[in-house]
Amino acid sequence: MDESIPLILDSSVFRQVPKLNSQLFKEIVKYTRVGIYKIYIPEIVEKEYISWIKGEAQSSYDNVVKATQLLHKYYESPKILGFDFTFNATASIAANEINGILKKVINNWNDFKVNTNASIIPILPEHGKLVMDAYFDGATPFDKIKNRVDIPDAFIYFGIKEILNISEKVVFVTGDKRFSEKLQGETILCFDSLSDLFSSGPAKLDGQYFNHLNSDDRSRILLNIHKEYILNKLSSELAVSELADVFSGDLIDHTIGKYHDYSFDINNLSYLVGDIKNISDSSLLVPFSANIICSIKSTASKVELSSVDAQRLVKIEREVDDGEFNLCEKYETPISGHFSVTFQDGDPTTWKEEKQSDSIFSEPEIKEISLALEDLQANA
């Protein structure tokens, strides 16, 4: 298989879809998992994207503060013990909400980097001198001498040149046509948008691409492309597996007080790509590991709780309800095993998640992918 082509996205691309959840961004994930592209993110692009979002958040907060302050002209705030009480509860609530959203935005950005296996191009000490030399000379990518507006672009440009030290060419996507025109050349291939990249870029993930793969590479690539879907299916299989019944049954026998019900969660589910084995041309045997968490819910009296070991008691979630305690005790056990996955023939680019029945409880499925839990065991 060919080496991955370095792909760099300008901050203008990220700002077009701030949630990074459009179909085009999903295609980026596929292209990087296949190995067609390798994502590099200049540090300056990351800073521009994050600071832009923080600026939007600050602007939203300022608007809330301004709106609530304007309303004060219609009434006089009451004094408490002779002092003005000017606490802006609405602004405080807005600040907490905005800060919570900002944390989710940062997490979403970090998830994107993980999902695409992106590498950050750091701003190196020598980049400052290179940027300043170009700034005073009016050299690429500056429009003219001492044009401050182009300084961020200059850091991106010298970041791209770092990648050209290890690769013959770089693909760069930017919505800034002026910037694009300056960089376009034999070694820097520029595109105005992601749709432009996928329609006329140097490589395509289409039916023809898969036709040229041998069966082994095809199956392994599909396993990587559909990672989230396969892990979700595996998680569903684990939740109804025999091990889950045995595990919960043993724990129920040790319930404190009166047992009510139990539930399962699967954490840290992952499979080991390096140890995959071929069962057939289209089927793989894949090892996996996970942590299974069983939550046992019960009701107990104060007397029943008093006999519980202190070390065990400290780990139990409990709430008082009409003199009794509602308990939730969680047990976590590492498990491992194998699952088999089979991919049908045909063009994988046409596969879609679809409802397979009329039941409102059924999950969308990709009918061309089938999965079965082969073996599993609880680890000591």
Side-chain angles (χ1 to χ4, degrees):
M1 297 178 66
D2 296 333
E3 290 188 6
S4 301
I5 302 170
L7 171 62
I8 297 176
L9 307 179
D10 191 14
S11 58
S12 59
V13 177
F14 294 115
R15 289 199 299 268
Q16 288 176 358
V17 186
K19 293 182 180 180
L20 313 179
N21 64 346
S22 71
Q23 189 58 44
L24 291 176
F25 272 94
K26 292 177 182 178
E27 286 298 303
I28 289 178
V29 174
K30 291 181 181 179
Y31 273 70
T32 55
R33 287 183 175 176
V34 166
I36 291 178
Y37 290 125
K38 164 62 180 174
I39 292 277
Y40 290 93
I41 302 175
E43 183 181 346
I44 190 70
V45 168
E46 182 173 51
K47 290 181 181 296
E48 283 183 327
Y49 172 71
I50 298 299
S51 64
W52 171 71
I53 291 175
K54 288 182 177 179
E56 292 280 296
Q58 184 64 52
S59 177
S60 298
Y61 174 75
D62 291 343
N63 287 336
V64 171
V65 173
K66 183 178 180 180
T68 53
Q69 288 177 341
L70 284 174
L71 291 175
H72 286 174
K73 69 180 181 181
Y74 296 107
Y75 73 98
E76 184 176 355
S77 300
K79 292 185 177 181
I80 299 178
L81 299 178
F83 296 96
D84 289 328
F85 185 71
T86 57
F87 175 69
N88 192 330
T90 302
S92 178
I93 293 171
N96 289 332
E97 180 69 14
I98 289 171
N99 287 333
I101 292 174
L102 282 176
K103 289 181 181 179
K104 294 178 181 178
V105 168
I106 300 301
N107 289 338
N108 188 50
W109 171 251
N110 290 332
D111 287 343
F112 172 79
K113 291 190 292 184
V114 170
N115 289 334
T116 57
N117 193 30
S119 296
I120 299 295
I121 307 173
I123 299 174
L124 301 177
E126 57 266 31
H127 287 172
K129 183 179 186 308
L130 292 170
V131 169
M132 285 298 97
D133 287 346
Y135 171 73
F136 286 110
D137 292 340
T140 304
F142 288 90
D143 262 344
K144 56 185 178 181
I145 293 175
K146 299 174 67 175
N147 190 32
R148 293 177 178 270
V149 176
D150 292 331
I151 289 178
D153 288 349
F155 277 103
I156 295 174
Y157 172 64
F158 288 108
I160 291 175
K161 295 194 74 172
E162 290 292 334
I163 303 303
L164 287 174
N165 289 331
I166 59 174
S167 180
E168 293 182 356
K169 62 182 177 181
V170 170
V171 172
F172 181 52
V173 183
T174 176
D176 186 343
K177 290 189 177 182
R178 180 189 57 81
F179 190 23
S180 176
E181 290 172 356
K182 289 181 180 179
L183 302 192
Q184 178 69 47
E186 291 185 4
T187 58
I188 304 178
L189 309 179
C190 295
F191 297 88
D192 296 333
S193 64
L194 290 178
S195 58
D196 187 21
L197 170 67
F198 293 133
S199 63
S200 56
K204 288 186 178 182
L205 184 60
D206 53 16
Q208 186 175 2
Y209 174 87
F210 284 98
N211 288 338
H212 284 85
L213 296 174
N214 61 47
S215 58
D216 186 18
D217 286 341
R218 181 180 184 273
S219 296
R220 291 168 187 263
I221 283 176
L222 289 174
L223 181 69
N224 207 14
I225 288 178
H226 296 286
K227 179 179 179 180
E228 284 77 17
Y229 174 78
I230 291 172
L231 287 177
N232 286 336
K233 292 287 291 182
L234 178 58
S235 181
S236 298
E237 292 291 323
L238 287 171
V240 297
S241 67
E242 182 180 350
L243 177 62
D245 292 335
V246 174
F247 187 36
S248 60
D250 184 51
L251 297 177
I252 290 172
D253 292 339
H254 295 84
T255 299
I256 301 169
K258 182 181 179 181
Y259 165 77
H260 286 299
D261 59 25
Y262 75 91
S263 61
F264 273 100
D265 289 308
I266 309 296
N267 283 354
N268 303 321
L269 179 59
S270 62
Y271 48 77
L272 308 175
V273 178
D275 296 326
I276 295 172
K277 297 179 180 179
N278 288 79
I279 301 175
S280 67
D281 287 345
S282 58
S283 299
L284 300 173
L285 184 65
V286 186
F288 73 90
S289 63
N291 290 334
I292 186 167
I293 301 174
C294 182
S295 299
I296 306 292
K297 295 182 180 180
S298 63
T299 302
S301 65
K302 187 175 182 179
V303 174
E304 288 172 316
L305 276 180
S306 64
S307 62
V308 178
D309 178 77
Q311 191 173 7
R312 179 183 179 185
L313 189 62
V314 74
K315 299 178 181 179
I316 300 175
E317 298 175 6
R318 52 191 184 274
E319 294 179 351
V320 180
D321 182 16
D322 196 23
E324 290 191 316
F325 292 87
N326 293 325
L327 309 181
C328 180
E329 190 167 12
K330 296 184 178 181
Y331 300 86
E332 183 170 358
T333 298
I335 60 173
S336 61
H338 294 81
F339 68 91
S340 60
V341 59
T342 302
F343 303 100
Q344 291 186 13
D345 294 332
D347 183 0
T349 62
T350 64
W351 297 357
K352 296 180 180 179
E353 291 190 42
E354 298 176 332
K355 286 273 189 178
Q356 301 301 311
S357 71
D358 295 331
S359 172
I360 60 174
F361 300 107
S362 65
E363 294 293 330
E365 295 184 357
I366 301 175
K367 60 183 177 60
E368 293 85 359
I369 301 176
S370 57
L371 179 145
L373 188 60
E374 298 295 344
D375 63 79
L376 71 162
Q377 61 183 12
N379 301 328

